[in-house]
Amino acid sequence: MTALKPNYRRARKLALEIEALRNVLDEARGDPSYDADDIEDLKVELRDLEREFFLTGVSSEYEL
């Protein structure tokens, strides 16, 4: 039985995407031009990216 190695390259890329999306989400919460559906879409996308990050096998962004 072999263990899979963490995919650090993919995790670094996802960490950058997650950080950028968190910034967009913070700005969207303070911007009246975004409606609740837009903000919810951003939250869903963030959860998807965080799930992908988890699947890389890297336990946290501090490990990068």
Side-chain angles (χ1 to χ4, degrees), residues 9-61:
R9 181 178 295 154
R10 177 77 176 135
R12 280 190 290 273
K13 181 181 178 213
L14 286 168
L16 291 173
E17 290 180 34
I18 288 169
E19 182 180 353
L21 186 56
R22 284 181 179 154
N23 291 336
V24 170
L25 184 57
D26 286 342
E27 291 174 13
R29 287 181 175 139
D31 187 343
S33 67
Y34 283 88
D35 63 11
D37 288 337
D38 294 334
I39 292 174
E40 187 58 34
D41 289 344
L42 291 171
K43 288 179 184 179
V44 168
E45 186 176 347
L46 181 60
R47 281 191 298 267
D48 290 344
L49 288 174
E50 289 171 338
R51 181 178 182 281
E52 282 186 53
F53 183 89
F54 173 78
L55 293 175
T56 65
V58 177
S59 60
S60 75
E61 61 271 5

